[in-house]
Amino acid sequence: MVERIAPVLVFLIAVTVIAELADQAKVFDVAAREAAHLARGRVWRLWLLVVALATGLTIVLSLDTCAVLLTPVVLSMARQLNIPPKLFAFTTVWLAGTASLLLPVSNLTNLLAVQPFRELGVSYLSVSWRPAIASIVITVLVLAALFHRDLPRTYDVPPTPGVEDKVLFWGATAVCVLLGPAFVSGVQVAWPASIGALVLVGLFAVRRRSALKWSLIPVKLVVTVVVLFTVVGFLSSHGLEDVLRRVAGTTSELRLSATAAVGANLFDNLPAYLAMEPVASNSPHRMLALLIGVNCGCLLTLWGSLATLLWRARCDAARVQISWWSFLWRGLILTPLVVTGAVLALNG
């Protein structure tokens, strides 16, 4: 258990430090404001750029970066440009979930799945790329359909934002950009994440020491992951696996994904994955079907993932009201489509 959870926790701490320091270096703020400049006053262009930014951040720096750090930036941008904010709010949270299939680093559930994939002798990316593309495309199409009235709007183009410390900005930007190829190089992902975090900590120690605080380390999140591992391990040793095997079945990948999605929406996606991994670990396709359920299918309830809970808190702080009912009815449109489409792509 320790050998498996340690690299996940190291990665979690390192990538959180990178994301927080990159945010303080204004990397995400400049990216969002530059997107507003590049879109030249058209909301649909701006939205597509935010889609690209949210997708890229989720894939390379995990769904938490997208949901937690990008959300306040785009909501602030929407308020300044007098654009209805829910389009951008749902873009960040939905893509944080559905774009998190592609790489192991995109979601903690994926990181946990790396070991079963290795034991099966299969590359994670070789199985994930088709469902990942399908889930992103379906999400974008559903967003466009639901918010089609907002997309034709226009806005006044803002000036290009300035940067207080260009050394910190370009250093943090370089670290974020280089993480992408490092994460797909085959090296244990905890290593490049740790190196990137140390580089940024060193840079901030020289340029802005006041930003280095113990609060950069996500202690509560680490404790939560450890507790979830412990609880699910206890339940699994007392018959939970047999119950889930009967519910999920042994042949239908769509049934497995649907079962995982229900579990994620009831109890959060991480414990749902941990509980159901033994049911799916005999096949790479079943493993990916499980990930489709817990990553893409957890968008019905506000507690379906930790990222969604943190996203809701950022929306509240920005005074953008997202009720549980508003989140649910939109999720009822997206979730069946994206889960079914991703499973079909998996078998395509």
Side-chain angles (χ1 to χ4, degrees), residues 140-158:
V140 172
L141 292 175
V142 172
L143 282 165
L146 288 177
F147 296 98
H148 66 277
R149 291 189 179 90
D150 295 331
L151 295 178
R153 292 172 178 262
T154 60
Y155 62 88
D156 294 329
V157 179

Side-chain angles (χ1 to χ4, degrees), residues 21-201:
L21 292 178
D23 185 49
Q24 293 193 39
K26 301 299 182 183
V27 172
F28 307 135
D29 184 52
V30 169
R33 294 295 296 274
E34 188 62 23
H37 182 74
L38 291 174
R40 301 194 304 274
R42 296 289 183 178
V43 170
W44 69 267
R45 290 197 194 110
L46 176 60
W47 173 68
L48 287 177
L49 288 168
V50 171
V51 165
L53 183 58
T55 301
L57 284 176
T58 297
I59 290 171
V60 177
L61 289 179
S62 86
L63 75 168
D64 294 318
T65 299
C66 178
V68 177
L69 296 180
L70 184 60
T71 297
V73 173
V74 297
L75 292 182
S76 174
M77 178 185 69
R79 184 172 59 251
Q80 293 174 33
L81 301 177
N82 197 28
I83 302 170
K86 286 188 178 181
L87 166 63
F88 296 101
F90 276 91
T91 296
T92 54
V93 73
W94 278 3
L95 284 171
T98 61
S100 69
L101 273 179
L102 185 62
L103 298 182
V105 298
S106 307
N107 200 317
L108 285 182
T109 55
N110 304 355
L111 274 180
L112 294 171
V114 168
Q115 180 177 322
F117 272 95
R118 285 177 178 165
E119 292 173 354
L120 292 166
V122 177
S123 163
Y124 177 92
L125 187 59
S126 68
V127 183
S128 70
W129 70 270
R130 283 192 302 269
I133 292 173
S135 64
I136 293 168
V137 171
I138 292 169
T139 302
V140 172
L141 292 175
V142 172
L143 282 165
L146 288 177
F147 296 98
H148 66 277
R149 291 189 179 90
D150 295 331
L151 295 178
R153 292 172 178 262
T154 60
Y155 62 88
D156 294 329
V157 179
T160 302
V163 177
E164 297 174 3
D165 191 319
K166 292 186 177 181
V167 173
L168 288 180
F169 172 77
W170 287 112
T173 300
V175 167
C176 292
V177 170
L178 291 174
L179 283 178
F183 285 155
V184 298
S185 66
V187 177
Q188 168 62 258
V189 294
W191 284 107
S194 299
I195 292 170
L198 289 174
V199 168
L200 283 188
V201 167

Side-chain angles (χ1 to χ4, degrees), residues 239-318:
L240 179 62
E241 180 181 338
D242 294 334
V243 174
L244 292 174
R245 195 177 298 277
R246 288 195 295 271
V247 174
T250 57
T251 56
S252 171
E253 287 158 3
L254 185 57
R255 179 176 172 182
L256 173 61
S257 292
T259 304
V262 171
N265 283 294
L266 290 176
F267 303 110
D268 187 86
N269 66 342
L270 188 56
Y273 169 82
L274 292 171
M276 294 192 64
E277 184 189 75
V279 179
S281 58
N282 62 326
S283 160
H285 275 59
R286 284 181 64 78
M287 281 299 302
L288 214 289
L290 169 56
L291 292 173
I292 289 170
V294 296
N295 291 7
C296 302
C298 68
L299 296 169
L300 294 177
T301 58
L302 289 167
W303 55 86
S305 72
L306 180 62
T308 307
L309 286 170
L310 297 172
W311 166 84
R312 172 75 181 286
R314 296 298 174 103
C315 288
D316 288 343

